[in-house]
Amino acid sequence: MTIRAVITGTGSYLPRARVTNNDLVARGIDTTDVWIFQRTGIKARHIADDTEPTSFMAARAAERAIAAAGLTAADIDGIIVATTTPDRTFPSTAVTVQAELGIAPCMAFDVQAVCSGFVYALSVASSLIGTGGAKNILVIGAERFTNLIDWNDRTTCVLFGDGAGAVVVRAEQGTGTMHDRGVLASHLYADGNQAGILCATGGPGTTRTTGVTHMEGREVFKHAVTHMASIVDEALVKNGLNADDIDWLIPHQANLRIITATADRLGMSMDQVVVTVDGHGNTSAASIPLALDVAVRDGRVKSGQLIMLEALGAGLTWGAVILRL
Ligand SMILES: CC(C)(COP(=O)(O)OP(=O)(O)OC[C@H]1O[C@@H](n2cnc3c(N)ncnc32)[C@H](O)[C@@H]1OP(=O)(O)O)[C@@H](O)C(=O)NCCC(=O)NCCS
């Protein structure tokens, strides 16, 4: 018997303030709408204020996912939050979400894999469900990444945004084949030798500060294109799939050029790729569940379809998940 982690509800939250590229120019950043859009595909991002900390966004996204699943907080028996920007250094954002939603004692913890955080968290949730450890797990990606930005560094500050996305995964019996609904495969990697090309400049264990984002953009770009190509190939080959078996690619939303290169590799039309980077910017661990929720709610992505998620983030970390909705 195979127990699958099936996504039964999705939800998301975007901060109230929408900030366009031209708004950034108006704020005095030495950039242009044309430069940002041509290099990244970004037109706007949402930026949280102090009434919208990471846990607040996570909780709103989670409420919507729980409602979409037809459940209540009483049904949840696990919470995993993927975040790089927890409200506090400790305890985890997951326990704050738990308290805010009135969820009874259960496992609750954060996963730190930066922009790959959601694919890591979903894989962990699937494993926990597969071994009978929980029945309904909330898996959330939530970030107030703009708090880690140096607004004087135009090479990074134009790229990021804030937000949260959530799913509820439920334990359901499967047959053990790729025809099951649920998380069917995950392929996760990290290479700590590349930590320096994308990192925060501080941390509680060293500087006692959070630091700000440092990125060697061209290096990250090269790694992203290479690793995304290899991870999607691996995910297909190891699971006996062809690219045309995949209905939707839902990639991490960092840069439209990286997304397009991955879709090309799969021979997929951009009509089969969910793109939200234009309106959200790079929301790190929140970007995939945000994109999934958008596409579920607008009716593009439907129950029964085969979906590939893929991401690369600081670490470097990268990975892909294949799931049937
Ligand atoms: C960041 C990124 C868009 C930069 O694009 P790029 O083509 O590599 O640009 P470069 O950094 O080489 O800079 C090119 C020029 O634009 C300038 N520039 C940088 N940021 C700018 C901005 N916001 N506005 C205007 N000009 C800018 C640079 O100063 C440089 O000028 P110069 O040629 O006179 O020195 C690109 O490297 C990238 O997308 N990298 C991957 C980022 C990513 O995905 N990160 C997250 C992974 S989770």
Short mmCIF file of all heavy atoms in Angstrom, two decimals, residues 229-298:
data_model
loop_
_atom_site.label_atom_id
_atom_site.label_comp_id
_atom_site.label_asym_id
_atom_site.label_seq_id
_atom_site.Cartn_x
_atom_site.Cartn_y
_atom_site.Cartn_z
N ALA A 229 18.03 22.61 -16.06
CA ALA A 229 18.00 21.67 -17.19
C ALA A 229 18.25 20.25 -16.70
O ALA A 229 17.54 19.31 -17.07
CB ALA A 229 19.06 22.07 -18.22
N SER A 230 19.26 20.07 -15.82
CA SER A 230 19.57 18.70 -15.40
C SER A 230 18.50 18.13 -14.48
O SER A 230 18.17 16.95 -14.54
CB SER A 230 20.96 18.62 -14.75
OG SER A 230 20.95 19.29 -13.53
N ILE A 231 17.89 18.97 -13.64
CA ILE A 231 16.91 18.43 -12.69
C ILE A 231 15.62 18.03 -13.40
O ILE A 231 15.00 17.02 -13.06
CB ILE A 231 16.64 19.42 -11.52
CG1 ILE A 231 16.01 18.69 -10.33
CG2 ILE A 231 15.72 20.56 -11.91
CD1 ILE A 231 16.94 17.91 -9.51
N VAL A 232 15.22 18.79 -14.42
CA VAL A 232 13.99 18.38 -15.11
C VAL A 232 14.25 17.12 -15.93
O VAL A 232 13.40 16.23 -15.99
CB VAL A 232 13.36 19.51 -15.96
CG1 VAL A 232 12.89 20.67 -15.08
CG2 VAL A 232 14.26 19.98 -17.08
N ASP A 233 15.45 17.01 -16.51
CA ASP A 233 15.79 15.77 -17.23
C ASP A 233 15.76 14.58 -16.28
O ASP A 233 15.19 13.53 -16.57
CB ASP A 233 17.19 15.88 -17.85
CG ASP A 233 17.20 16.75 -19.09
OD1 ASP A 233 16.11 17.14 -19.56
OD2 ASP A 233 18.31 17.06 -19.59
N GLU A 234 16.42 14.75 -15.11
CA GLU A 234 16.48 13.65 -14.13
C GLU A 234 15.07 13.25 -13.68
O GLU A 234 14.75 12.06 -13.58
CB GLU A 234 17.30 14.10 -12.92
CG GLU A 234 17.30 13.07 -11.80
CD GLU A 234 18.06 13.54 -10.55
OE1 GLU A 234 19.10 14.21 -10.71
OE2 GLU A 234 17.60 13.22 -9.44
N ALA A 235 14.23 14.25 -13.42
CA ALA A 235 12.88 13.96 -12.92
C ALA A 235 12.07 13.17 -13.96
O ALA A 235 11.30 12.28 -13.60
CB ALA A 235 12.17 15.26 -12.55
N LEU A 236 12.28 13.47 -15.23
CA LEU A 236 11.57 12.72 -16.27
C LEU A 236 12.12 11.30 -16.37
O LEU A 236 11.38 10.31 -16.29
CB LEU A 236 11.69 13.43 -17.63
CG LEU A 236 11.00 14.78 -17.77
CD1 LEU A 236 11.30 15.37 -19.14
CD2 LEU A 236 9.49 14.66 -17.56
N VAL A 237 13.45 11.20 -16.52
CA VAL A 237 14.06 9.89 -16.79
C VAL A 237 13.83 8.93 -15.63
O VAL A 237 13.39 7.78 -15.82
CB VAL A 237 15.58 10.06 -17.06
CG1 VAL A 237 16.28 8.70 -17.09
CG2 VAL A 237 15.80 10.81 -18.37
N LYS A 238 14.08 9.39 -14.40
CA LYS A 238 13.97 8.49 -13.24
C LYS A 238 12.54 8.03 -12.99
O LYS A 238 12.32 7.04 -12.30
CB LYS A 238 14.53 9.15 -11.99
CG LYS A 238 16.04 9.21 -11.98
CD LYS A 238 16.58 9.37 -10.58
CE LYS A 238 18.10 9.24 -10.59
NZ LYS A 238 18.73 9.83 -9.43
N ASN A 239 11.56 8.77 -13.52
CA ASN A 239 10.17 8.40 -13.28
C ASN A 239 9.49 7.85 -14.53
O ASN A 239 8.27 7.68 -14.56
CB ASN A 239 9.40 9.61 -12.73
CG ASN A 239 9.97 10.03 -11.38
OD1 ASN A 239 9.86 9.29 -10.40
ND2 ASN A 239 10.62 11.18 -11.33
N GLY A 240 10.31 7.58 -15.56
CA GLY A 240 9.78 6.95 -16.77
C GLY A 240 8.78 7.83 -17.50
O GLY A 240 7.81 7.33 -18.09
N LEU A 241 9.00 9.14 -17.45
CA LEU A 241 8.07 10.07 -18.08
C LEU A 241 8.69 10.71 -19.31
O LEU A 241 9.92 10.83 -19.41
CB LEU A 241 7.69 11.18 -17.10
CG LEU A 241 6.91 10.78 -15.85
CD1 LEU A 241 6.86 11.94 -14.87
CD2 LEU A 241 5.50 10.31 -16.21
N ASN A 242 7.85 11.13 -20.23
CA ASN A 242 8.27 11.99 -21.33
C ASN A 242 7.80 13.41 -21.02
O ASN A 242 6.83 13.60 -20.27
CB ASN A 242 7.63 11.56 -22.65
CG ASN A 242 8.10 10.18 -23.05
OD1 ASN A 242 9.30 9.89 -22.99
ND2 ASN A 242 7.15 9.33 -23.43
N ALA A 243 8.47 14.38 -21.63
CA ALA A 243 8.09 15.77 -21.37
C ALA A 243 6.61 16.01 -21.68
O ALA A 243 5.94 16.77 -20.99
CB ALA A 243 8.98 16.71 -22.18
N ASP A 244 6.10 15.30 -22.72
CA ASP A 244 4.70 15.58 -23.06
C ASP A 244 3.70 14.92 -22.11
O ASP A 244 2.49 15.10 -22.25
CB ASP A 244 4.39 15.28 -24.53
CG ASP A 244 4.69 13.85 -24.90
OD1 ASP A 244 4.95 13.05 -23.98
OD2 ASP A 244 4.67 13.54 -26.11
N ASP A 245 4.20 14.17 -21.12
CA ASP A 245 3.30 13.69 -20.06
C ASP A 245 2.96 14.80 -19.07
O ASP A 245 1.99 14.71 -18.33
CB ASP A 245 3.95 12.54 -19.26
CG ASP A 245 4.16 11.30 -20.11
OD1 ASP A 245 3.26 10.99 -20.92
OD2 ASP A 245 5.21 10.63 -19.95
N ILE A 246 3.82 15.82 -19.02
CA ILE A 246 3.64 16.89 -18.03
C ILE A 246 2.63 17.92 -18.56
O ILE A 246 2.79 18.44 -19.66
CB ILE A 246 4.99 17.62 -17.75
CG1 ILE A 246 6.09 16.63 -17.35
CG2 ILE A 246 4.82 18.72 -16.70
CD1 ILE A 246 5.93 15.99 -16.01
N ASP A 247 1.59 18.16 -17.77
CA ASP A 247 0.58 19.14 -18.19
C ASP A 247 1.03 20.57 -17.90
O ASP A 247 0.74 21.49 -18.66
CB ASP A 247 -0.74 18.87 -17.47
CG ASP A 247 -1.35 17.55 -17.90
OD1 ASP A 247 -1.64 17.40 -19.10
OD2 ASP A 247 -1.52 16.65 -17.04
N TRP A 248 1.70 20.76 -16.73
CA TRP A 248 2.07 22.11 -16.32
C TRP A 248 3.45 22.13 -15.69
O TRP A 248 3.76 21.25 -14.86
CB TRP A 248 1.07 22.66 -15.28
CG TRP A 248 -0.25 23.00 -15.86
CD1 TRP A 248 -1.38 22.24 -15.83
CD2 TRP A 248 -0.58 24.19 -16.59
NE1 TRP A 248 -2.39 22.88 -16.49
CE2 TRP A 248 -1.93 24.08 -16.96
CE3 TRP A 248 0.13 25.33 -16.96
CZ2 TRP A 248 -2.59 25.07 -17.70
CZ3 TRP A 248 -0.52 26.32 -17.67
CH2 TRP A 248 -1.86 26.18 -18.04
N LEU A 249 4.22 23.13 -16.03
CA LEU A 249 5.47 23.44 -15.32
C LEU A 249 5.18 24.64 -14.43
O LEU A 249 4.73 25.69 -14.93
CB LEU A 249 6.57 23.76 -16.34
CG LEU A 249 7.92 24.20 -15.76
CD1 LEU A 249 8.58 23.04 -15.00
CD2 LEU A 249 8.84 24.69 -16.88
N ILE A 250 5.43 24.47 -13.13
CA ILE A 250 5.26 25.60 -12.21
C ILE A 250 6.61 25.84 -11.55
O ILE A 250 6.97 25.21 -10.56
CB ILE A 250 4.15 25.34 -11.17
CG1 ILE A 250 2.84 24.96 -11.88
CG2 ILE A 250 3.94 26.59 -10.30
CD1 ILE A 250 1.64 24.80 -10.98
N PRO A 251 7.41 26.72 -12.17
CA PRO A 251 8.78 26.93 -11.69
C PRO A 251 8.85 28.01 -10.61
O PRO A 251 7.92 28.83 -10.48
CB PRO A 251 9.49 27.43 -12.95
CG PRO A 251 8.42 28.14 -13.72
CD PRO A 251 7.11 27.50 -13.38
N HIS A 252 9.95 28.00 -9.88
CA HIS A 252 10.27 29.15 -9.03
C HIS A 252 10.34 30.38 -9.91
O HIS A 252 10.87 30.34 -11.02
CB HIS A 252 11.61 28.90 -8.33
CG HIS A 252 12.13 30.12 -7.63
ND1 HIS A 252 11.36 30.87 -6.78
CD2 HIS A 252 13.34 30.73 -7.66
CE1 HIS A 252 12.07 31.89 -6.32
NE2 HIS A 252 13.28 31.83 -6.85
N GLN A 253 9.80 31.47 -9.41
CA GLN A 253 9.67 32.68 -10.22
C GLN A 253 10.77 33.67 -9.86
O GLN A 253 10.58 34.55 -9.01
CB GLN A 253 8.30 33.30 -9.98
CG GLN A 253 7.13 32.34 -10.10
CD GLN A 253 6.75 32.05 -11.54
OE1 GLN A 253 6.78 32.94 -12.39
NE2 GLN A 253 6.37 30.81 -11.82
N ALA A 254 11.95 33.49 -10.48
CA ALA A 254 13.04 34.42 -10.23
C ALA A 254 13.28 35.31 -11.44
O ALA A 254 13.54 36.50 -11.30
CB ALA A 254 14.32 33.68 -9.88
N ASN A 255 13.18 34.70 -12.61
CA ASN A 255 13.61 35.41 -13.81
C ASN A 255 12.98 34.72 -15.02
O ASN A 255 13.12 33.50 -15.18
CB ASN A 255 15.15 35.33 -13.88
CG ASN A 255 15.71 36.09 -15.04
OD1 ASN A 255 15.25 35.94 -16.17
ND2 ASN A 255 16.70 36.91 -14.76
N LEU A 256 12.30 35.48 -15.85
CA LEU A 256 11.58 34.90 -16.99
C LEU A 256 12.53 34.20 -17.96
O LEU A 256 12.17 33.20 -18.57
CB LEU A 256 10.79 35.99 -17.71
CG LEU A 256 9.84 35.51 -18.80
CD1 LEU A 256 8.81 34.52 -18.27
CD2 LEU A 256 9.13 36.71 -19.45
N ARG A 257 13.77 34.70 -18.05
CA ARG A 257 14.72 34.06 -18.99
C ARG A 257 15.10 32.66 -18.52
O ARG A 257 15.29 31.75 -19.33
CB ARG A 257 15.96 34.94 -19.15
CG ARG A 257 15.68 36.22 -19.95
CD ARG A 257 16.96 37.00 -20.19
NE ARG A 257 17.54 37.50 -18.95
CZ ARG A 257 18.83 37.74 -18.75
NH1 ARG A 257 19.70 37.49 -19.71
NH2 ARG A 257 19.26 38.21 -17.61
N ILE A 258 15.23 32.50 -17.19
CA ILE A 258 15.55 31.16 -16.65
C ILE A 258 14.34 30.23 -16.86
O ILE A 258 14.48 29.07 -17.27
CB ILE A 258 15.91 31.24 -15.15
CG1 ILE A 258 17.15 32.12 -14.94
CG2 ILE A 258 16.14 29.84 -14.57
CD1 ILE A 258 17.46 32.43 -13.47
N ILE A 259 13.15 30.75 -16.63
CA ILE A 259 11.93 29.95 -16.80
C ILE A 259 11.79 29.51 -18.26
O ILE A 259 11.50 28.35 -18.55
CB ILE A 259 10.69 30.78 -16.36
CG1 ILE A 259 10.74 31.04 -14.84
CG2 ILE A 259 9.40 30.07 -16.75
CD1 ILE A 259 9.67 32.01 -14.34
N THR A 260 12.03 30.43 -19.17
CA THR A 260 11.89 30.12 -20.60
C THR A 260 12.91 29.06 -21.03
O THR A 260 12.58 28.14 -21.80
CB THR A 260 12.07 31.40 -21.45
OG1 THR A 260 11.18 32.39 -20.94
CG2 THR A 260 11.76 31.17 -22.91
N ALA A 261 14.13 29.19 -20.50
CA ALA A 261 15.17 28.21 -20.86
C ALA A 261 14.77 26.81 -20.38
O ALA A 261 15.00 25.81 -21.07
CB ALA A 261 16.51 28.62 -20.23
N THR A 262 14.16 26.73 -19.20
CA THR A 262 13.75 25.42 -18.67
C THR A 262 12.60 24.85 -19.50
O THR A 262 12.58 23.65 -19.82
CB THR A 262 13.34 25.55 -17.19
OG1 THR A 262 14.34 26.26 -16.49
CG2 THR A 262 13.14 24.18 -16.56
N ALA A 263 11.65 25.70 -19.86
CA ALA A 263 10.53 25.25 -20.69
C ALA A 263 11.04 24.76 -22.04
O ALA A 263 10.59 23.72 -22.56
CB ALA A 263 9.52 26.38 -20.87
N ASP A 264 12.01 25.48 -22.62
CA ASP A 264 12.59 25.06 -23.90
C ASP A 264 13.22 23.68 -23.77
O ASP A 264 13.08 22.83 -24.66
CB ASP A 264 13.68 26.05 -24.34
CG ASP A 264 13.08 27.33 -24.92
OD1 ASP A 264 11.86 27.35 -25.14
OD2 ASP A 264 13.85 28.29 -25.11
N ARG A 265 13.94 23.49 -22.67
CA ARG A 265 14.59 22.20 -22.43
C ARG A 265 13.57 21.06 -22.45
O ARG A 265 13.85 19.96 -22.93
CB ARG A 265 15.29 22.26 -21.06
CG ARG A 265 15.98 21.00 -20.66
CD ARG A 265 17.26 20.87 -21.44
NE ARG A 265 18.03 19.73 -21.01
CZ ARG A 265 19.33 19.64 -21.18
NH1 ARG A 265 20.01 20.60 -21.77
NH2 ARG A 265 19.98 18.56 -20.79
N LEU A 266 12.39 21.36 -21.89
CA LEU A 266 11.33 20.34 -21.84
C LEU A 266 10.53 20.30 -23.13
O LEU A 266 9.63 19.46 -23.28
CB LEU A 266 10.38 20.66 -20.68
CG LEU A 266 10.87 20.31 -19.27
CD1 LEU A 266 10.01 20.98 -18.23
CD2 LEU A 266 10.89 18.81 -19.07
N GLY A 267 10.82 21.23 -24.04
CA GLY A 267 10.03 21.30 -25.28
C GLY A 267 8.60 21.70 -24.98
O GLY A 267 7.67 21.35 -25.73
N MET A 268 8.39 22.42 -23.86
CA MET A 268 7.03 22.81 -23.50
C MET A 268 6.76 24.22 -24.01
O MET A 268 7.63 25.09 -23.95
CB MET A 268 6.86 22.80 -21.97
CG MET A 268 6.78 21.41 -21.40
SD MET A 268 6.66 21.43 -19.58
CE MET A 268 4.90 21.53 -19.37
N SER A 269 5.53 24.42 -24.46
CA SER A 269 5.10 25.76 -24.86
C SER A 269 4.94 26.60 -23.59
O SER A 269 4.58 26.07 -22.53
CB SER A 269 3.78 25.62 -25.61
OG SER A 269 2.90 26.64 -25.25
N MET A 270 5.15 27.90 -23.70
CA MET A 270 4.97 28.77 -22.54
C MET A 270 3.50 28.80 -22.09
O MET A 270 3.21 29.22 -20.99
CB MET A 270 5.50 30.18 -22.82
CG MET A 270 7.02 30.28 -22.85
SD MET A 270 7.84 29.70 -21.32
CE MET A 270 7.54 31.09 -20.21
N ASP A 271 2.60 28.28 -22.95
CA ASP A 271 1.19 28.18 -22.53
C ASP A 271 1.00 27.14 -21.44
O ASP A 271 -0.04 27.08 -20.80
CB ASP A 271 0.30 27.77 -23.72
CG ASP A 271 0.25 28.85 -24.78
OD1 ASP A 271 0.59 30.01 -24.44
OD2 ASP A 271 -0.12 28.53 -25.92
N GLN A 272 2.00 26.27 -21.27
CA GLN A 272 1.90 25.23 -20.22
C GLN A 272 2.74 25.58 -19.00
O GLN A 272 3.00 24.72 -18.16
CB GLN A 272 2.41 23.89 -20.77
CG GLN A 272 1.58 23.30 -21.87
CD GLN A 272 2.34 22.12 -22.46
OE1 GLN A 272 3.16 22.27 -23.36
NE2 GLN A 272 2.11 20.94 -21.90
N VAL A 273 3.21 26.81 -18.95
CA VAL A 273 4.06 27.25 -17.84
C VAL A 273 3.32 28.34 -17.07
O VAL A 273 2.82 29.29 -17.68
CB VAL A 273 5.41 27.81 -18.35
CG1 VAL A 273 6.31 28.18 -17.18
CG2 VAL A 273 6.09 26.80 -19.27
N VAL A 274 3.23 28.19 -15.77
CA VAL A 274 2.59 29.23 -14.96
C VAL A 274 3.64 30.29 -14.64
O VAL A 274 4.67 29.98 -14.03
CB VAL A 274 1.98 28.66 -13.67
CG1 VAL A 274 1.33 29.78 -12.85
CG2 VAL A 274 0.95 27.57 -14.00
N VAL A 275 3.38 31.51 -15.08
CA VAL A 275 4.32 32.62 -14.87
C VAL A 275 3.64 33.71 -14.04
O VAL A 275 2.58 34.21 -14.42
CB VAL A 275 4.79 33.21 -16.22
CG1 VAL A 275 5.68 34.43 -16.00
CG2 VAL A 275 5.53 32.15 -17.04
N THR A 276 4.25 34.03 -12.91
CA THR A 276 3.73 35.12 -12.07
C THR A 276 4.83 36.13 -11.74
O THR A 276 4.58 37.09 -11.03
CB THR A 276 3.15 34.58 -10.75
OG1 THR A 276 4.14 33.75 -10.14
CG2 THR A 276 1.88 33.78 -10.97
N VAL A 277 6.04 35.88 -12.26
CA VAL A 277 7.17 36.74 -11.91
C VAL A 277 6.90 38.19 -12.33
O VAL A 277 7.38 39.13 -11.70
CB VAL A 277 8.49 36.19 -12.50
CG1 VAL A 277 8.55 36.32 -14.02
CG2 VAL A 277 9.69 36.85 -11.86
N ASP A 278 6.09 38.36 -13.40
CA ASP A 278 5.79 39.72 -13.86
C ASP A 278 5.10 40.55 -12.78
O ASP A 278 5.42 41.72 -12.60
CB ASP A 278 4.93 39.68 -15.14
CG ASP A 278 3.72 38.77 -15.00
OD1 ASP A 278 3.72 37.87 -14.14
OD2 ASP A 278 2.75 38.97 -15.76
N GLY A 279 4.22 39.93 -12.02
CA GLY A 279 3.46 40.68 -11.02
C GLY A 279 3.94 40.51 -9.60
O GLY A 279 3.56 41.29 -8.72
N HIS A 280 4.74 39.47 -9.35
CA HIS A 280 5.15 39.16 -7.97
C HIS A 280 6.63 39.41 -7.71
O HIS A 280 7.03 39.49 -6.55
CB HIS A 280 4.86 37.69 -7.62
CG HIS A 280 3.42 37.31 -7.70
ND1 HIS A 280 2.99 36.00 -7.56
CD2 HIS A 280 2.30 38.06 -7.89
CE1 HIS A 280 1.67 35.97 -7.67
NE2 HIS A 280 1.23 37.18 -7.88
N GLY A 281 7.47 39.49 -8.75
CA GLY A 281 8.91 39.47 -8.54
C GLY A 281 9.31 38.11 -7.96
O GLY A 281 8.56 37.13 -8.04
N ASN A 282 10.50 38.07 -7.39
CA ASN A 282 11.00 36.83 -6.78
C ASN A 282 10.60 36.83 -5.30
O ASN A 282 11.16 37.58 -4.50
CB ASN A 282 12.52 36.76 -6.94
CG ASN A 282 13.13 35.50 -6.34
OD1 ASN A 282 12.47 34.77 -5.60
ND2 ASN A 282 14.39 35.24 -6.64
N THR A 283 9.64 35.98 -4.96
CA THR A 283 9.19 35.89 -3.56
C THR A 283 9.80 34.68 -2.86
O THR A 283 9.24 34.18 -1.87
CB THR A 283 7.66 35.85 -3.46
OG1 THR A 283 7.19 34.72 -4.20
CG2 THR A 283 7.01 37.12 -4.01
N SER A 284 10.94 34.20 -3.37
CA SER A 284 11.70 33.12 -2.72
C SER A 284 10.80 31.91 -2.46
O SER A 284 10.11 31.46 -3.38
CB SER A 284 12.35 33.69 -1.44
OG SER A 284 13.17 32.74 -0.82
N ALA A 285 10.74 31.39 -1.25
CA ALA A 285 9.99 30.14 -0.99
C ALA A 285 8.50 30.27 -1.25
O ALA A 285 7.80 29.26 -1.35
CB ALA A 285 10.23 29.70 0.44
N ALA A 286 8.00 31.51 -1.35
CA ALA A 286 6.56 31.68 -1.57
C ALA A 286 6.18 31.58 -3.03
O ALA A 286 5.00 31.45 -3.36
CB ALA A 286 6.13 33.04 -1.02
N SER A 287 7.16 31.63 -3.94
CA SER A 287 6.79 31.86 -5.34
C SER A 287 6.04 30.69 -5.96
O SER A 287 5.08 30.89 -6.70
CB SER A 287 8.03 32.23 -6.17
OG SER A 287 8.68 31.10 -6.70
N ILE A 288 6.44 29.46 -5.67
CA ILE A 288 5.76 28.32 -6.30
C ILE A 288 4.33 28.15 -5.75
O ILE A 288 3.39 28.04 -6.54
CB ILE A 288 6.59 27.03 -6.17
CG1 ILE A 288 7.82 27.13 -7.08
CG2 ILE A 288 5.76 25.80 -6.52
CD1 ILE A 288 8.78 25.93 -6.99
N PRO A 289 4.13 28.13 -4.42
CA PRO A 289 2.73 27.97 -3.97
C PRO A 289 1.85 29.16 -4.35
O PRO A 289 0.65 28.99 -4.56
CB PRO A 289 2.86 27.81 -2.45
CG PRO A 289 4.19 28.38 -2.10
CD PRO A 289 5.07 28.12 -3.28
N LEU A 290 2.44 30.36 -4.48
CA LEU A 290 1.66 31.50 -4.97
C LEU A 290 1.23 31.25 -6.41
O LEU A 290 0.05 31.45 -6.76
CB LEU A 290 2.54 32.76 -4.93
CG LEU A 290 2.33 33.75 -3.79
CD1 LEU A 290 3.49 34.74 -3.73
CD2 LEU A 290 1.02 34.50 -3.95
N ALA A 291 2.16 30.81 -7.24
CA ALA A 291 1.84 30.57 -8.66
C ALA A 291 0.83 29.44 -8.79
O ALA A 291 -0.11 29.51 -9.61
CB ALA A 291 3.13 30.24 -9.43
N LEU A 292 1.00 28.40 -7.98
CA LEU A 292 0.05 27.27 -8.02
C LEU A 292 -1.35 27.75 -7.67
O LEU A 292 -2.33 27.43 -8.35
CB LEU A 292 0.51 26.18 -7.04
CG LEU A 292 -0.44 25.00 -6.86
CD1 LEU A 292 -0.60 24.21 -8.16
CD2 LEU A 292 0.06 24.07 -5.74
N ASP A 293 -1.45 28.56 -6.62
CA ASP A 293 -2.78 29.03 -6.20
C ASP A 293 -3.42 29.89 -7.27
O ASP A 293 -4.62 29.76 -7.55
CB ASP A 293 -2.65 29.80 -4.88
CG ASP A 293 -4.03 30.18 -4.33
OD1 ASP A 293 -4.90 29.29 -4.24
OD2 ASP A 293 -4.24 31.36 -4.01
N VAL A 294 -2.62 30.76 -7.88
CA VAL A 294 -3.17 31.61 -8.95
C VAL A 294 -3.75 30.73 -10.06
O VAL A 294 -4.87 30.94 -10.53
CB VAL A 294 -2.06 32.54 -9.51
CG1 VAL A 294 -2.49 33.19 -10.83
CG2 VAL A 294 -1.69 33.61 -8.49
N ALA A 295 -2.99 29.72 -10.46
CA ALA A 295 -3.40 28.90 -11.62
C ALA A 295 -4.54 27.94 -11.27
O ALA A 295 -5.34 27.59 -12.14
CB ALA A 295 -2.20 28.13 -12.15
N VAL A 296 -4.63 27.52 -10.01
CA VAL A 296 -5.77 26.69 -9.59
C VAL A 296 -7.03 27.56 -9.58
O VAL A 296 -8.08 27.18 -10.10
CB VAL A 296 -5.53 26.07 -8.19
CG1 VAL A 296 -6.82 25.51 -7.60
CG2 VAL A 296 -4.46 24.98 -8.28
N ARG A 297 -6.91 28.76 -9.00
CA ARG A 297 -8.10 29.60 -8.85
C ARG A 297 -8.59 30.17 -10.18
O ARG A 297 -9.78 30.43 -10.34
CB ARG A 297 -7.85 30.72 -7.84
CG ARG A 297 -7.88 30.17 -6.43
CD ARG A 297 -7.55 31.15 -5.37
NE ARG A 297 -7.33 30.43 -4.13
CZ ARG A 297 -8.26 30.25 -3.19
NH1 ARG A 297 -9.45 30.75 -3.34
NH2 ARG A 297 -7.97 29.55 -2.10
N ASP A 298 -7.67 30.38 -11.14
CA ASP A 298 -8.18 30.89 -12.43
C ASP A 298 -8.59 29.74 -13.36
O ASP A 298 -8.95 29.98 -14.52
CB ASP A 298 -7.20 31.88 -13.09
CG ASP A 298 -5.92 31.23 -13.61
OD1 ASP A 298 -5.90 30.01 -13.84
OD2 ASP A 298 -4.92 31.96 -13.79
#
